[in-house]
């Protein structure tokens, strides 16, 4: 099994990819520790994992609060004795307006959650990584950092900073045996994307199916990538199959964006 007996923390357990990565990590043999500000989805994910014979715990907490992140790490140690991997999936998306129209508080919140939250979580798990001389972090990025899209400016500013954080910490933590990588996601087929295409169809005077087909036509694999399939790329980077991979950005977008 890809993650057999590894202890993996996943933040940002909402109705989309975060929850699916947690479920898939458990199916891949990991013992999963979930963190979210809400138990709305996380409680159901916990029940699903336990019902299928997996091992998991959930912790209500906010990644912008260092004390909450420390509590998540402590819970992982208490429940499972160690920590092997961390997926920083928590995010905040400012309103989809031109960047200069974004409120400063919304931009600050995006940075606090996406960048500050990742730093808080990495600081919290690092003692466990250092104690065993190895560990793996995967940060969830966005294709819009490389291929600008209207309305994504505030979100991209924070995700772009997360990309820089990934490379910097890969360099700094490498001597400790800690790998830090990023998956750069494109479209993530799921609840949020469904709502987006409904909105886009209304604004364009088209059907939702036409709006989806227009986007899919720009993707080499010809479809909107399902979020659960994209999330599995992050699990691969956590695994021992990627033991010599660090500081890398893996494009997970069905071939919509292909870097030179």
């Amino acid at each position: 099994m890809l993650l057999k007996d590894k202890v993996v923390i996943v933040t940002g357990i909402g109705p989309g990819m975060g929850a699916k990565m947690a479920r898939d990590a458990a199916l891949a043999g990991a013992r999963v520790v979930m963190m979210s500000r809400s138990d709305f989805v996380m409680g159901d994910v916990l029940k699903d994992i336990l019902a299928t014979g997996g091992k998991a715990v959930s912790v209500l907490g906010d990644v912008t609060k260092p004390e909450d992140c420390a509590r998540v790490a402590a819970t992982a140690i208490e429940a499972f004795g160690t920590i092997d991997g961390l997926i920083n999936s928590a995010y905040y998306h400012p309103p989809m307006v031109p960047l200069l129209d974004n409120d400063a508080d919304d931009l600050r919140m995006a940075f606090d959650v996406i960048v500050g939250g990742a730093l808080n979580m990495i600081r919290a798990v690092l003692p466990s990584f250092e104690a065993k001389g190895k560990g793996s972090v995967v940060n969830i990025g966005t294709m819009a950092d490389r291929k600008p899209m209207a309305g994504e400016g505030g979100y991209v500013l924070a995700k772009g900073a997360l990309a820089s954080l990934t490379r910097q910490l890969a360099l700094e933590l490498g001597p400790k045996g800690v790998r830090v990588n990023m998956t750069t996601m494109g479209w993530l087929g799921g609840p949020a994307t469904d709502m987006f295409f409904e909105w886009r169809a209304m604004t364009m005077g088209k059907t939702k199916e036409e709006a989806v087909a227009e986007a899919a036509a720009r993707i080499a694999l010809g479809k909107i990538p399902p979020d659960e399939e994209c999330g599995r790329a992050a699990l691969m980077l956590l695994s021992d199959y990627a033991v010599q991979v660090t500081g890398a950005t893996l494009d997970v977008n069905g071939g919509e964006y292909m870097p030179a």
Side-chain angles (χ1 to χ4, degrees), residues 132-155:
K132 63 199 308 180
K134 62 180 179 179
S136 179
V137 178
V138 178
N139 298 319
I140 304 299
T142 176
M143 179 181 71
D145 178 36
R146 295 158 170 238
K147 182 182 178 181
M149 298 178 66
E152 297 283 349
Y155 179 63

Side-chain angles (χ1 to χ4, degrees), residues 82-164:
T82 189
I83 304 168
D84 298 290
L86 164 67
I87 299 179
N88 284 312
S89 182
Y91 75 95
Y92 170 78
H93 198 307
M96 295 185 67
V97 297
L99 177 57
L100 294 180
D101 292 338
N102 272 131
D103 183 89
D105 288 339
D106 280 323
L107 295 178
R108 192 174 298 111
M109 177 62 77
F111 272 87
D112 286 348
V113 174
I114 293 171
V115 183
L119 284 169
N120 288 339
M121 284 303 307
I122 292 168
R123 288 188 181 107
V125 302
L126 187 58
S128 183
F129 288 175
E130 289 178 321
K132 63 199 308 180
K134 62 180 179 179
S136 179
V137 178
V138 178
N139 298 319
I140 304 299
T142 176
M143 179 181 71
D145 178 36
R146 295 158 170 238
K147 182 182 178 181
M149 298 178 66
E152 297 283 349
Y155 179 63
V156 165
L157 283 181
K159 287 293 190 178
L162 186 65
S164 295

Side-chain angles (χ1 to χ4, degrees), residues 89-256:
S89 182
Y91 75 95
Y92 170 78
H93 198 307
M96 295 185 67
V97 297
L99 177 57
L100 294 180
D101 292 338
N102 272 131
D103 183 89
D105 288 339
D106 280 323
L107 295 178
R108 192 174 298 111
M109 177 62 77
F111 272 87
D112 286 348
V113 174
I114 293 171
V115 183
L119 284 169
N120 288 339
M121 284 303 307
I122 292 168
R123 288 188 181 107
V125 302
L126 187 58
S128 183
F129 288 175
E130 289 178 321
K132 63 199 308 180
K134 62 180 179 179
S136 179
V137 178
V138 178
N139 298 319
I140 304 299
T142 176
M143 179 181 71
D145 178 36
R146 295 158 170 238
K147 182 182 178 181
M149 298 178 66
E152 297 283 349
Y155 179 63
V156 165
L157 283 181
K159 287 293 190 178
L162 186 65
S164 295
L165 178 155
T166 299
R167 294 187 294 271
Q168 187 66 32
L169 288 185
L171 175 69
E172 294 181 4
L173 299 182
K176 301 176 184 291
V178 178
R179 300 185 296 108
V180 187
N181 293 293
M182 171 176 275
T183 55
T184 298
M185 305 298 188
W187 293 107
L188 292 170
T193 304
D194 285 342
M195 288 189 292
F196 172 81
F197 280 119
E198 288 171 3
W199 168 81
R200 191 168 188 174
M202 286 189 295
T203 60
M204 297 171 64
K206 297 183 177 181
T207 66
K208 177 184 174 183
E209 290 71 23
E210 288 171 333
V212 169
E214 185 180 86
R218 297 191 292 269
I219 299 173
L221 293 180
K223 67 175 184 178
I224 304 298
D227 54 4
E228 65 271 19
E229 294 180 6
C230 295
R232 290 171 194 151
L235 302 185
M236 183 275 292
L237 285 175
L238 280 186
S239 79
D240 291 341
Y241 285 98
V243 72
Q244 287 300 318
V245 180
T246 194
T249 296
L250 177 63
D251 286 280
V252 187
N253 54 57
E256 181 174 358

